[in-house]
Amino acid sequence: MPELPEVEVLRLTLEPRIIGARIEDIQVWNGDLREPVDRRNLSRRVRGRSIVGLRRRSKYLWIDLERDQTLVIHLGMSGRLTLAPADAEREIHEHVAFSLDSNRRLRFCDTRRFGLVFALPTSELDTDRHFAHLGVEPLNGELTGEGLQELATGCRGPVKNFLMDARRVVGVGNIYACEALHRAGIHPTRSVARISLQRWQQLAHRIVETLHDAIAQGGTTLNDFSDAVGQAGYFKVSLAVYGRAGRPCQRCAGTVRRIVQAGRSTFYCPLCQH
DNA sequence: CGGGCGGCCTGGAGGC
DNA sequence: TGCCTCCAGGCCGCCC
């Protein structure tokens, strides 16, 4: 579920509530996630340390701790990270939990178990295999039309696949790739080799705009997503094409169509996207 | 070598 | 009601 806006909403809602909190203990009920949870390593790096900051890189949440350690959380497709009272009953798919001082528990729940939980020294984040290859952060002012055009030099595939390749641009998943392309009026199957600088600029602008809009509305909740206190996002009502096959385009007289690209559903309007 | 597909997992929806 | 198939926001590895 979670693309950049959802992880950013999680960061924004979690940060003021857990800054300064100390992680007293860790429970791992089911460590069988996308990568097995290394309990020993996690405990050694995390236990007894206070939280000093929260950052986001791509769709990863970085929870910085005292003395050069960072707890990394990835939500996969169905993950949630929420605060609960220490004695709250364990949820069905609650796999990992961090007991905080002040009688609270930071719980990681993930139905499909595509998520990740691990820890490593803060100073090693940049070179870690999960992060070293990641591309441009769209919300840092790094994403420009010129930059996109340069990144696409020598590439051949459809623009939608290009946008979802985290080695180039991070944080844009299936929903926001569809929505940004619709806002930019660009057909998702168009080859990146056939996009003018003007259209790259339009696209860069629309990506940033769409992500900001989604964050402002608490992210998109299709099934699972919630912020740190369990609140669903309501950007779903603003989706113009995603999940709307057969229904009218929000902007013209067209009808939204669904196709499959690289094994993923793509939604677009054949009338206003070229 | 880069792009695309299958697989990882559970569960919800829809067809019959 | 049940059983089947398809589908889902991410990501990696393998294949061509």
Side-chain angles (χ1 to χ4, degrees), chain A residues 77-145:
Chain A
M77 290 279 260
S78 56
R80 283 183 302 122
L81 191 66
T82 53
L83 282 166
D87 60 357
E89 203 170 316
R90 184 191 160 205
E91 286 188 23
I92 301 175
H93 297 290
E94 183 174 345
H95 306 308
V96 182
F98 303 87
S99 302
L100 306 179
D101 51 3
S102 71
N103 240 10
R104 291 175 303 165
R105 187 163 93 228
L106 183 64
R107 39 161 60 155
F108 175 78
C109 307
D110 184 2
T111 306
R112 294 173 69 182
R113 287 187 276 117
F114 290 168
L116 283 179
V117 178
F118 64 98
L120 77 171
T122 310
S123 53
E124 292 175 16
L125 283 167
D126 288 345
T127 51
D128 183 81
R129 66 187 168 86
H130 298 91
F131 313 115
H133 65 284
L134 294 175
V136 172
E137 278 290 338
L139 301 190
N140 289 358
E142 298 172 13
L143 188 69
T144 63

Side-chain angles (χ1 to χ4, degrees), chain A residues 50-68:
Chain A
S50 293
I51 295 164
V52 297
L54 264 69
R55 292 182 286 163
R56 179 192 53 72
R57 174 72 172 116
S58 183
K59 299 167 191 170
Y60 294 85
L61 185 67
W62 288 353
I63 303 178
D64 292 321
L65 309 173
E66 302 172 298
R67 286 172 282 134
D68 192 42

Side-chain angles (χ1 to χ4, degrees), chain A residues 157-173:
Chain A
V159 61
K160 192 227 180 189
N161 301 6
F162 171 84
L163 286 185
M164 289 179 62
D165 184 345
R167 290 169 302 181
R168 308 211 159 81
V169 182
V170 302
V172 182

Side-chain angles (χ1 to χ4, degrees), chain A residues 7-269:
Chain A
V7 181
E8 186 63 17
V9 165
L10 173 62
R11 189 186 73 78
L12 290 167
T13 54
L14 196 54
E15 182 164 53
R17 293 176 167 93
I18 65 167
I19 281 281
R22 205 161 83 106
I23 299 174
E24 307 278 18
D25 203 3
I26 299 125
Q27 296 92 49
V28 180
W29 287 292
N30 184 354
D32 189 16
L33 305 181
R34 197 177 93 218
E35 295 169 16
V37 175
D38 184 339
R39 300 163 197 244
R40 272 248 166 81
N41 189 57
L42 190 61
S43 182
R44 178 165 66 87
R45 298 187 184 284
V46 164
R47 188 198 291 259
R49 287 180 159 86
S50 293
I51 295 164
V52 297
L54 264 69
R55 292 182 286 163
R56 179 192 53 72
R57 174 72 172 116
S58 183
K59 299 167 191 170
Y60 294 85
L61 185 67
W62 288 353
I63 303 178
D64 292 321
L65 309 173
E66 302 172 298
R67 286 172 282 134
D68 192 42
Q69 296 295 342
T70 297
L71 170 61
V72 178
I73 307 282
H74 191 286
L75 300 180
M77 290 279 260
S78 56
R80 283 183 302 122
L81 191 66
T82 53
L83 282 166
D87 60 357
E89 203 170 316
R90 184 191 160 205
E91 286 188 23
I92 301 175
H93 297 290
E94 183 174 345
H95 306 308
V96 182
F98 303 87
S99 302
L100 306 179
D101 51 3
S102 71
N103 240 10
R104 291 175 303 165
R105 187 163 93 228
L106 183 64
R107 39 161 60 155
F108 175 78
C109 307
D110 184 2
T111 306
R112 294 173 69 182
R113 287 187 276 117
F114 290 168
L116 283 179
V117 178
F118 64 98
L120 77 171
T122 310
S123 53
E124 292 175 16
L125 283 167
D126 288 345
T127 51
D128 183 81
R129 66 187 168 86
H130 298 91
F131 313 115
H133 65 284
L134 294 175
V136 172
E137 278 290 338
L139 301 190
N140 289 358
E142 298 172 13
L143 188 69
T144 63
E146 287 81 0
L148 282 180
Q149 187 175 56
E150 198 176 319
L151 285 169
T153 304
C155 296
R156 243 152 234 292
V159 61
K160 192 227 180 189
N161 301 6
F162 171 84
L163 286 185
M164 289 179 62
D165 184 345
R167 290 169 302 181
R168 308 211 159 81
V169 182
V170 302
V172 182
N174 207 27
I175 293 178
Y176 298 110
C178 292
E179 293 297 311
L181 284 167
H182 178 255
R183 289 188 183 200
I186 299 173
H187 199 289
T189 66
R190 174 173 282 271
S191 165
V192 292
R194 291 178 41 248
I195 295 181
S196 66
L197 177 58
Q198 197 172 15
R199 305 194 89 197
W200 280 122
Q201 287 168 334
Q202 176 68 206
L203 182 56
H205 175 70
R206 295 303 179 184
I207 290 169
V208 173
E209 175 195 70
T210 306
L211 297 175
H212 275 306
D213 286 355
I215 292 167
Q217 296 181 55
T220 301
T221 298
L222 297 182
N223 288 308
D224 311 296
F225 176 70
S226 79
D227 68 14
V229 291
Q231 181 72 47
Y234 49 96
F235 190 70
K236 186 181 177 182
V237 301
S238 301
L239 296 177
V241 288
Y242 185 85
R244 294 178 48 86
R247 298 167 64 189
C249 173
Q250 304 279 65
R251 219 184 32 208
C252 75
T255 299
V256 176
R257 182 174 295 174
R258 175 186 178 273
I259 58 172
V260 174
Q261 292 180 279
R264 315 290 303 275
S265 290
T266 299
F267 299 90
Y268 71 101
C269 172

